[in-house]
Amino acid sequence: MSKLWGGRFTQTAEQWVDEFGASISFDQQLVKEDITGSIAHVTMLSKCGILAEEEAETIKKGLETLLAKAENNELDFKVEYEDIHLNIEKMLTDEVGAVGGKLHTARSRNDQVATDIHLYMKKEVTSIIEQLNRLQSVLVQLAEKHVETIFPGYTHLQRAQPISFGHHLLAYFWMFERDKERLSESLKRINVSPLGAGALSGTTFPIDRELTAKLLDFGAVYKNSLDAVSDRDFLIEFCSNASMIMMHLSRFCEELILWSSQEFQFVEISDKYATGSSMMPQKKNPDMAELIRGKTGRVYGSLMTLLTVMKGLPLAYNKDMQEDKEPVFDSVKTLKGSLAIFTGMMEEITVNKDKMEKAVSQDFSNATELADYLVNKGIPFREAHEIVGKLVLRCIENHIYLLDLPMNIYKEASSCFEEDVYDFLHPYKVVERRNSLGGTGFSAVQAAIEEAKKRI
Ligand code: ARG
């Protein structure tokens, strides 16, 4: 079978070589973008008088037929036509005859593939932003229910200070808010048209790049033809943003895994998002959370793949760049899947308020508060720290907690202690009072919820 570019060849590659070079197995995902890009291109060619109106009309009709077929999954792609661009061009000439061969006037696959992937990225980034929004609203709803649910806050995974569970959830809300900002900001660079850059140097035909950009709803055009066909930094940026989101999801998953263990029992993951063991009848495993944590590695891997593919490439297009697609497609699929599963899992999660509250009544997470109590009475913080440290040690030795210490022991430690210390130390009160801006106090969290709602 002769190639669409076969004129200067006297020998043909064997099939296995063709298979190695072909990208159709994966770039067929770009079929709609490819045809849409071609429709804009041919419209422009006719408007600029490069193609006769009837010719352009015939080509456009043929492309529209192919687009309809693509929507119904009726197109049959072939490895012998290498990639999505040549497969579509072949199908077009089969559909409309030799005039189909005029579509590629003033265009190269190099600006064509770049256009396709910009269109694809724009669509996917927009839908990922919507998914993040959805997750954020689930988090805010849950946070609203748990403003006054107190549980241990940790540093070094050691009990640190009691906090509001709603406050903890909102911490993730803000991470996802920044992720959303990063994606929105990146759209500025994605929403740029490479079409009309040609193979690398532009074209002698009187094309109108602004017009194709407008027809494809791009906000700008690349200013340099070499840059237009060589740029993949918008894909690297996407993989970096995707990695960041996966990292945030992964940390959250790690917490859910810990919290749903017998040791914590702070939450229960719905049966709908858990699995059993083939051997141990009692098991309920947080598989979905673990998988998201695991899949984070894939997305990081894709980022590294792209950075490495691009690092040594001379300008302009190189076939190496065909390797950009699979990691990007995989990252999009993995990220969207993870966001959907995670959001569903959070919607169905059961929060064991009692276990959380019980945890903070049986620990020393109110020790800072006890030191602050003394500070309020004029004792320097460092000295208060030492006094409380000794009291904690005494409790540990006697298997009790700070609220169990009798008044005489408190008095012995410092004459500043009075009866009101018991109320002051109550974990609920401890949390309630922390109303510094961005703190875990109930009114601070309530204010943060109002603020958060404005972002979704
Ligand atoms: N399949 C190619 C890719 O994905 C399309 C561009 C090919 N251009 C070329 N001059 N070989 O990168």
Side-chain angles (χ1 to χ4, degrees):
M1 179 61 63
S2 75
K3 302 281 196 230
L4 273 80
W5 39 253
R8 60 96 68 218
F9 287 73
T10 54
Q11 286 186 302
T12 50
E14 286 177 39
Q15 196 187 336
W16 67 280
V17 178
D18 273 352
E19 276 167 15
F20 187 78
S23 52
I24 189 62
S25 66
F26 50 87
D27 66 11
Q28 54 181 274
Q29 273 200 56
L30 296 173
V31 64
K32 286 184 206 154
E33 284 79 6
D34 197 74
I35 299 175
T36 312
S38 289
I39 292 175
H41 181 66
V42 76
T43 306
M44 179 278 292
L45 289 179
S46 124
K47 285 245 157 72
C48 295
I50 302 165
L51 280 198
E53 226 169 273
E54 319 79 72
E55 292 174 326
E57 244 351 275
T58 309
I59 293 173
K60 215 162 152 187
K61 285 235 167 67
L63 288 169
E64 275 156 7
T65 307
L66 294 181
L67 191 56
K69 285 191 183 169
E71 257 141 30
N72 296 324
N73 281 326
E74 283 167 8
L75 297 180
D76 188 16
F77 301 109
K78 295 206 168 71
V79 165
E80 60 191 282
Y81 298 118
E82 195 178 327
D83 59 21
I84 185 63
H85 325 296
L86 297 179
N87 266 270
I88 292 296
E89 188 175 325
K90 171 74 173 101
M91 288 174 193
L92 179 69
T93 41
D94 287 350
E95 185 78 28
V96 303
V99 68
K102 295 199 172 189
L103 169 64
H104 213 51
T105 309
R107 186 178 71 171
S108 155
R109 276 186 294 160
N110 297 349
D111 56 341
Q112 190 178 357
V113 70
T115 304
D116 290 4
I117 198 117
H118 275 82
L119 288 171
Y120 165 85
M121 215 59 273
K122 184 172 157 181
K123 175 186 77 187
E124 295 299 352
V125 165
T126 308
S127 107
I128 292 165
I129 290 173
E130 277 162 25
Q131 277 191 299
L132 282 168
N133 233 356
R134 167 108 198 75
L135 170 56
Q136 284 180 303
S137 61
V138 169
L139 293 180
V140 172
Q141 276 166 35
L142 197 58
E144 216 166 5
K145 282 195 203 136
H146 294 287
V147 173
E148 296 190 17
T149 301
I150 57 168
F151 88 133
Y154 295 79
T155 64
H156 313 267
L157 203 57
Q158 302 289 328
R159 297 271 178 95
Q161 292 172 342
I163 55 172
S164 144
F165 183 57
H167 190 56
H168 195 107
L169 294 170
L170 286 181
Y172 284 102
F173 174 96
W174 294 110
M175 295 177 222
F176 294 127
E177 181 62 19
R178 290 192 296 276
D179 290 333
K180 224 167 64 181
E181 276 170 23
R182 270 184 283 270
L183 286 175
S184 304
E185 221 264 332
S186 77
L187 276 173
K188 209 164 67 189
R189 288 172 287 281
I190 293 167
N191 199 19
V192 182
S193 174
L195 195 56
L200 73 163
S201 64
T203 174
T204 55
F205 291 100
I207 58 167
D208 184 348
R209 292 191 60 210
E210 306 278 357
L211 176 60
T212 44
K214 204 170 128 214
L215 292 171
L216 293 171
D217 200 27
F218 280 121
V221 296
Y222 273 85
K223 305 277 182 247
N224 180 295
S225 61
L226 291 167
D227 182 33
V229 292
S230 303
D231 173 28
R232 295 294 182 272
D233 52 16
F234 69 105
L235 297 180
I236 295 174
E237 188 176 359
F238 170 74
C239 285
S240 160
N241 289 334
S243 295
M244 196 85 80
I245 301 169
M246 289 302 294
M247 177 272 288
H248 287 150
L249 285 175
S250 186
R251 293 185 76 175
F252 210 158
C253 283
E254 169 68 12
E255 296 202 307
L256 295 181
I257 294 162
L258 284 173
W259 293 343
S260 60
S261 68
Q262 186 101 42
E263 284 70 15
F264 284 78
Q265 297 179 42
F266 288 170
V267 299
E268 187 173 348
I269 291 173
S270 156
D271 283 5
K272 295 186 201 163
Y273 294 92
T275 54
S277 154
S278 60
M279 185 183 187
M280 300 164 279
Q282 84 285 9
K283 289 294 289 291
K284 178 168 164 184
N285 297 325
D287 279 29
M288 297 304 138
E290 292 170 89
L291 255 185
I292 294 171
R293 190 177 58 185
K295 282 178 188 289
T296 304
R298 288 172 82 109
V299 178
Y300 289 6
S302 293
L303 171 61
M304 204 41 67
T305 299
L306 281 192
L307 284 167
T308 312
V309 165
M310 295 307 293
K311 75 177 273 292
L313 299 186
L315 298 185
Y317 178 84
N318 301 267
K319 183 78 166 179
D320 314 45
M321 285 152 75
Q322 182 167 288
E323 287 295 304
D324 61 357
K325 284 165 210 67
E326 284 170 293
V328 168
F329 294 159
D330 190 74
S331 298
V332 166
K333 183 168 171 238
T334 307
L335 177 57
K336 288 176 83 178
S338 301
L339 280 168
I341 293 283
F342 190 84
T343 304
M345 192 163 62
M346 288 311 289
E347 271 175 316
E348 303 270 346
I349 205 146
T350 306
V351 177
N352 295 331
K353 207 170 163 192
D354 294 346
K355 294 274 184 194
M356 287 183 169
E357 290 177 354
K358 194 162 168 229
V360 270
S361 65
Q362 294 176 347
D363 67 10
F364 294 97
S365 60
N366 52 358
T368 312
E369 210 62 17
L370 191 58
D372 288 350
Y373 177 94
L374 292 175
V375 170
N376 284 336
K377 309 245 162 167
I379 295 181
F381 181 76
R382 202 40 65 210
E383 218 172 287
H385 189 287
E386 174 76 14
I387 293 169
V388 175
K390 292 226 165 76
L391 286 171
V392 167
L393 186 60
R394 187 159 185 157
C395 286
I396 291 170
E397 283 163 1
N398 292 289
H399 309 289
I400 55 172
Y401 298 103
L402 290 170
L403 275 170
D404 305 322
L405 284 172
M407 200 58 220
N408 65 312
I409 303 286
Y410 273 123
K411 282 280 185 208
E412 217 173 85
S414 165
S415 59
C416 295
F417 283 121
E418 290 176 60
E419 276 299 328
D420 63 352
V421 71
Y422 295 107
D423 187 55
F424 194 84
L425 274 190
H426 194 281
Y428 185 87
K429 296 281 172 60
V430 168
V431 181
E432 191 181 25
R433 279 195 299 268
R434 286 195 143 55
N435 280 317
S436 53
L437 180 64
T440 192
F442 303 144
S443 43
V445 174
Q446 199 54 56
I449 285 175
E450 297 317 316
E451 177 74 30
K453 279 184 180 165
K454 288 185 212 149
R455 313 290 182 111
I456 46 181

